Amino acid sequence: MQVFVFDLLPYRVHLDKLETGKELPYPLGKAHFDPAEGVKTYAEHLEAWEALDKLGYDGVGFNEHHTSPYGLMNSPNLMAAAAAQRTKKLAMIDCLSNGRLIAGIARGIPREYQVHNIPLSESRERFEEAYDILVKAWTEDVFSYQGKYHSYNNVSMWPRPVQQPHPPIWTPITASKESIEWAAKNNIPITPGESRVQGLQNDIIRYYAKCLAKNGHKITPKHLSIAQFSYIADSKEQAVREAGPYMLYFNRTLFSHGNVTETNLQRGMGYVSDKALDYVSPENLKEAQRNREDFRNLTMEDIRKRAENMPWGTADEVRDRIIAAVNRTGAEVVHVRMNIGALPHEMFMHQIKLFSEKVLPALQAHKVKVVPAAEEVAA
């Protein structure tokens, strides 16, 4: 299996002291951004990505978010270009990295449509048009496109991808039925939900497998990657004590900053359909609703309970829990998140090193051959 580290690149300074009640003000004005801290944030993450490359990780996962300290990777192409020049085995940007790009595409979150005055009801159509344009640009000699939102005439792309016919494409799935169906129709690998929420994640994988089959494809380990929050310590208690406050900061302050996470509110705004969760088992609907109060009301006691089933603790436990997760889902790739909640740089670098020494070799040697959902679909 392959091991990536997913990096949101959050602003390094914690801003929870600015909260009013449980809410970090949005929009958050420039008075709260220190350019010197911004410089440090980027320098630290570039150093971390260089270390990942030297220590044998398979890749680093980038992202794109705007208008929030949640993530400062407003231009992932720019950051990937910088990383490509510092690394030999991991990074993104196809030509600059000699074919190391894996293109992750996602519809975007409500906040980022609203700041551009784009109705949320248009988001899915716009996303699907953009995907069609991307593939045409990569694969066709000269292409034209006339869509509802975009139009191009006689375009020949320069430069061309190193990887042919185009770089691999992955997409994350939170819960939406239509997103699963779209990914299956186009035979695009997915990252299904959050591994902590096993019931919902299993629902997503099962439905994806069924949709793939309807479109003439069979789900394989190459179709799946999963995310895991990892922290190595001498004990579970130490892991909770050290990493717990940063997970709280992520959930209570950063995760829903200026954003609408609740499915019922997204439905009213046109971002998701009335049928978006039809496939979800009744016992898993609460998790699929993504109520922001479930994030903002978290306590350290909640973190302790969650950590019981997370890859937090000794290196052996981290290794075994991640292997159990990939075996349960059938995923060939794991995206490890080590610096959730703007973990201090020294702690992040220490985790990168510890994981590479004590966990990474066993994970990379592990072979995932079966997707349990495939057997269910076949039955």
Side-chain angles (χ1 to χ4, degrees), residues 34-74:
D34 183 341
E37 295 293 346
V39 170
K40 289 180 183 177
T41 301
Y42 289 119
E44 288 176 352
H45 286 260
L46 283 165
E47 181 184 349
W49 302 339
E50 192 169 357
L52 292 173
D53 185 63
K54 292 177 179 177
L55 292 171
Y57 291 82
D58 294 294
V60 58
F62 292 165
N63 64 96
E64 179 178 351
H65 287 293
H66 300 266
T67 68
S68 174
Y70 176 79
L72 301 189
M73 209 174 299
N74 306 66

Side-chain angles (χ1 to χ4, degrees), residues 154-348:
N154 293 331
V155 178
S156 181
M157 291 301 298
W158 284 72
R160 292 284 180 165
V162 173
Q163 300 175 86
Q164 292 295 317
H166 57 73
I169 298 173
W170 296 348
T171 192
I173 300 292
T174 53
S176 174
K177 175 181 182 179
E178 291 83 0
S179 294
I180 298 170
E181 292 170 346
W182 174 85
K185 176 184 175 182
N186 292 282
N187 200 25
I188 294 174
I190 68 169
T191 303
E194 185 180 345
S195 291
R196 179 187 65 82
V197 188
Q198 294 186 12
L200 177 59
Q201 186 178 58
N202 291 340
D203 281 348
I204 292 171
I205 296 172
R206 277 193 294 267
Y207 188 62
Y208 175 59
K210 291 177 183 177
C211 292
L212 281 170
K214 288 179 181 178
N215 286 277
H217 309 295
K218 182 179 179 180
I219 193 169
T220 70
K222 293 183 182 298
H223 280 92
L224 298 170
S225 61
I226 60 170
Q228 293 279 286
F229 297 102
S230 164
Y231 193 88
I232 298 175
D234 291 337
S235 66
K236 178 79 76 176
E237 293 74 18
Q238 181 185 352
V240 171
R241 186 170 60 252
E242 293 179 358
Y246 301 99
M247 179 168 275
L248 281 181
Y249 176 67
F250 174 81
N251 281 282
R252 297 198 301 203
T253 302
L254 294 181
F255 179 69
S256 60
H257 180 225
N259 194 39
V260 179
T261 62
E262 296 92 337
T263 304
N264 64 322
L265 296 180
Q266 292 176 351
R267 186 179 294 115
M269 302 165 78
Y271 184 70
V272 298
S273 74
D274 292 339
K275 299 179 180 181
L277 302 180
D278 280 2
Y279 72 96
V280 177
S281 303
E283 65 271 20
N284 298 324
L285 277 173
K286 184 179 185 299
E287 290 291 350
Q289 297 291 347
R290 296 166 65 83
N291 186 339
R292 79 181 67 192
E293 294 307 310
D294 291 343
F295 308 110
R296 291 182 177 171
N297 289 337
L298 279 178
T299 65
M300 278 297 292
E301 182 58 31
D302 294 325
I303 297 297
R304 288 188 184 91
K305 291 178 181 177
R306 287 189 177 191
E308 291 175 5
N309 298 312
M310 289 171 54
W312 280 17
T314 65
D316 286 350
E317 180 173 3
V318 170
R319 177 201 64 214
D320 292 347
R321 287 196 178 276
I322 293 177
I323 288 176
V326 296
N327 287 343
R328 173 180 59 82
T329 58
E332 188 176 78
V333 176
V334 61
H335 302 272
V336 181
R337 298 181 67 173
M338 299 179 181
N339 67 331
I340 187 171
L343 199 73
H345 183 57
E346 296 76 16
M347 291 175 70
F348 184 25

